[in-house]
């Protein structure tokens, strides 16, 4: 996260780093995904949500390289890709253009399939689903994902940073 007044510099650094990541191997790293999502977050906070979403869609090439299963502990990019999906869904929800709610649902559904339940992005994806299904009036899905959110919260270690992130 950029310090106050430093977002332009952070954006420039993230863009420079991302431009250097030209090989498949360089894009399948924690640093690449972190730079991608942090740069998108900066754009989102500045009200440039369309640019933010285009930025995260750049990560779409990872989709073909990542198995559609939960990653083992410390396995790397699958967890980061799931986090990027959950973040992108959150940005779609906040933009709220026609079709964005369905995009958020699809991305969040993908995210919970590959994220470990201990990952805070898993809870974020579930919260996205609760919010999206509430807006479209699908109460059975709201109830289903509310139960999943409660289970995730119960498993989280209270008093940790991850627990604080899950709270809000």
């Amino acid at each position: 996260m950029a310090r106050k007044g430093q977002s332009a510099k952070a954006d420039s650094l993230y863009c420079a780093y991302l431009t250097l990541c030209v090989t498949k191997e360089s894009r399948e790293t924690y640093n690449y995904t972190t730079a991608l999502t942090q740069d998108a977050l900066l754009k989102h906070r500045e009200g440039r949500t369309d640019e933010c979403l285009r930025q995260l869609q750049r990560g779409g090439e990872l989709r073909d390289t990542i198995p559609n299963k939960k990653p083992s502990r410390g396995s790397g990019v699958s967890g980061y890709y799931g986090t990027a999906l959950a973040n992108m869904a959150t940005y779609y929800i906040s933009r709220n253009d026609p079709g964005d709610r369905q995009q958020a649902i699809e991305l969040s559904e993908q995210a919970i399939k590959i994220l470990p339940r201990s990952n805070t992005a898993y809870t974020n994806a579930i919260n996205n689903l609760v919010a999206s299904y509430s807006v479209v009036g699908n109460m059975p899905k709201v109830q289903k994902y509310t139960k999943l959110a409660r289970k995730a919260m119960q498993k989280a270690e209270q008093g940790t940073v991850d627990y604080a992130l899950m709270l809000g």
Side-chain angles (χ1 to χ4, degrees), residues 38-160:
Q38 288 300 313
D39 190 49
L41 178 61
L42 285 172
K43 288 171 173 46
H44 177 68
R45 286 186 177 154
E46 293 170 353
R48 303 181 316 172
T49 304
D50 290 342
E51 286 180 61
C52 159
L53 291 168
R54 280 193 300 276
Q55 179 76 10
L56 285 175
Q57 287 165 348
R58 284 180 58 191
E61 75 261 9
L62 294 176
R63 190 173 311 197
D64 297 331
T65 64
I66 298 168
N68 192 17
K69 63 180 182 179
K70 286 184 173 53
S72 60
R73 189 169 258 217
S75 67
V77 80
S78 296
Y80 306 124
Y81 180 63
T83 300
L85 291 173
N87 288 343
M88 191 159 49
T90 302
Y91 303 144
Y92 272 114
I93 289 169
S94 69
R95 186 176 72 173
N96 204 26
D97 282 354
D100 281 357
R101 198 60 63 176
Q102 187 57 41
Q103 274 293 101
I105 289 170
E106 291 171 15
L107 292 166
S108 296
E109 292 277 4
Q110 288 177 40
I112 64 171
K113 287 179 183 174
I114 62 173
L115 284 167
R117 291 182 182 183
S118 60
N119 189 314
T120 56
Y122 177 83
T123 307
N124 179 32
I126 292 173
N127 290 337
N128 289 339
L129 289 166
V130 171
S132 296
Y133 283 124
S134 293
V135 169
V136 299
N138 188 333
M139 294 316 289
K141 293 278 189 172
V142 170
Q143 292 171 345
K144 172 186 174 180
Y145 290 112
T146 299
K147 284 180 185 177
L148 280 177
R150 285 187 187 128
K151 285 181 185 177
M153 290 295 290
Q154 288 170 349
K155 289 184 180 183
E157 280 188 57
Q158 294 187 13
T160 65

